[in-house]
Amino acid sequence: MSWATLARWARYHIPLRRHGATLARKTTCTAAELADAPALLQPARAQIDGLGRLNDFATTSRHRTLSSAVADLGTNATVLRNRIQELEYDLGGVLLNRAHARRPMTLTPIGQAVLDAIQTWLQPHR
């Protein structure tokens, strides 16, 4: 890295980090908001846009296919698939059995538990 680049970063207050250091994932909720969420949902809630991904999952679970959920949410199929995969990674398991041929999309046991937790947690807030 050149001295000119370092000077430019300093001028615009861009922080430096040592070689090999990793950045912690930022959250969009406070510690109190995180503590308010059920324990099952806390790993997802702590991530960036975790609440949005949880809401997208709840909406998707009401549909028979991913394409009908995409139409309802007004988003792209790839975006919705990626958001659900990120949620599955955060929560540690597969949430949906995808639709195939004439078989509709269904919830896995973990997915049903997550959906129940979302509904009971968000019910007082609505």
Side-chain angles (χ1 to χ4, degrees):
M1 185 175 314
S2 71
W3 287 105
T5 300
L6 289 173
R8 193 169 29 250
W9 286 7
R11 187 172 359 145
Y12 294 108
H13 308 289
I14 298 172
L16 298 177
R17 60 186 169 106
R18 64 182 191 281
H19 182 72
T22 59
L23 295 175
R25 293 182 81 175
K26 295 179 183 178
T27 64
T28 58
C29 64
T30 64
E33 291 170 332
L34 185 59
D36 181 44
L40 178 63
L41 304 179
Q42 285 181 359
R45 179 69 175 106
Q47 303 304 324
I48 294 174
D49 197 26
L51 183 58
R53 289 187 284 132
L54 289 167
N55 284 327
D56 286 352
F57 167 71
T59 301
T60 301
S61 68
R62 292 193 303 261
H63 293 275
R64 293 177 53 88
T65 63
L66 200 62
S67 58
S68 64
V70 165
D72 185 27
L73 289 168
T75 188
N76 184 309
T78 304
V79 171
L80 184 58
R81 256 193 316 265
N82 288 342
R83 289 174 65 82
I84 290 174
Q85 284 176 348
E86 289 172 2
L87 194 59
E88 289 173 338
Y89 176 79
D90 291 340
L91 298 176
V94 177
L95 302 176
L96 294 169
N97 293 319
R98 305 320 194 256
H100 294 287
R102 292 189 174 108
R103 195 181 79 209
M105 184 169 56
T106 59
L107 293 172
T108 64
I110 295 171
Q112 186 62 53
V114 168
L115 182 62
D116 292 343
I118 291 170
Q119 290 171 342
T120 56
W121 175 49
L122 293 181
Q123 192 65 32
H125 302 302
R126 291 183 182 180

